[in-house]
Amino acid sequence: MGRTKIQLEFSLKAASRTVLWTSISTPSGLSTWFANNVDYHGQKMTFTWGKDDTRTATITAIKAFSYIRLTWDDSPDKDEYLELRMSMSEITRDYTLLITDFADDDEAEDLEDLWEMQIDTLRRMNGF
């Protein structure tokens, strides 16, 4: 079974780049929409969903107000990553969030659905 690179783009009505950046790059921001709890120690982030589901990731690249790239520590393929990249449309002045993630071929559609739900939560929690 192969792996698929997934790239999803979401338009957000974010009034502030600081609010969006905080939402995608800090433990407090990520805890509002991505995971139940996020801890940060150096370049390591620990994500917890529910009571027992925990994963750690290493921040492999970050550029303020642009993107954050994480590599899951338990991933067998070190070339795979999760990237959250924000940009602003010069025409509409809205922000776009581009997500790059990876999934097994037979789970790609499920992962896309999961991201749709996560972004709905991001929008609701931040008024985007």
Side-chain angles (χ1 to χ4, degrees):
M1 180 178 310
R3 300 278 290 169
T4 300
K5 181 178 183 179
I6 298 169
Q7 290 190 302
L8 302 167
E9 188 172 311
F10 299 94
S11 179
L12 302 172
K13 304 282 187 207
S16 164
R17 75 180 191 144
T18 302
V19 172
L20 179 55
W21 178 246
T22 299
S23 296
I24 68 171
S25 66
T26 67
S28 61
L30 289 164
S31 292
T32 65
W33 68 277
F34 183 72
N36 297 107
N37 189 48
V38 181
D39 290 319
Y40 178 69
H41 303 285
Q43 296 298 338
K44 296 283 186 185
M45 294 182 102
T46 302
F47 298 87
T48 304
W49 297 270
K51 291 184 179 183
D52 300 328
D53 191 8
T54 300
R55 289 184 83 187
T56 59
T58 301
I59 299 171
T60 56
I62 189 167
K63 181 178 179 187
F65 301 102
S66 184
Y67 65 90
I68 183 168
R69 181 180 285 192
L70 308 169
T71 302
W72 296 109
D73 295 344
D74 62 356
S75 177
D77 188 340
K78 296 304 175 191
D79 291 332
E80 293 184 6
Y81 56 91
L82 169 63
E83 184 176 271
L84 306 173
R85 181 177 292 268
M86 61 182 270
S87 62
M88 187 179 68
S89 168
E90 293 298 324
I91 297 170
T92 65
R93 308 300 285 173
D94 290 334
Y95 285 94
T96 298
L97 183 61
L98 177 65
I99 298 170
T100 303
D101 202 354
F102 293 81
D104 289 336
D105 291 339
D106 63 342
E107 296 178 354
E109 190 173 313
D110 291 339
L111 183 62
E112 290 178 18
D113 291 343
L114 177 62
W115 275 114
E116 291 279 348
M117 290 188 308
Q118 296 297 99
I119 297 302
D120 284 346
T121 302
L122 172 67
R123 285 182 173 127
R124 226 179 18 260
M125 298 304 290
N126 292 288
F128 297 155

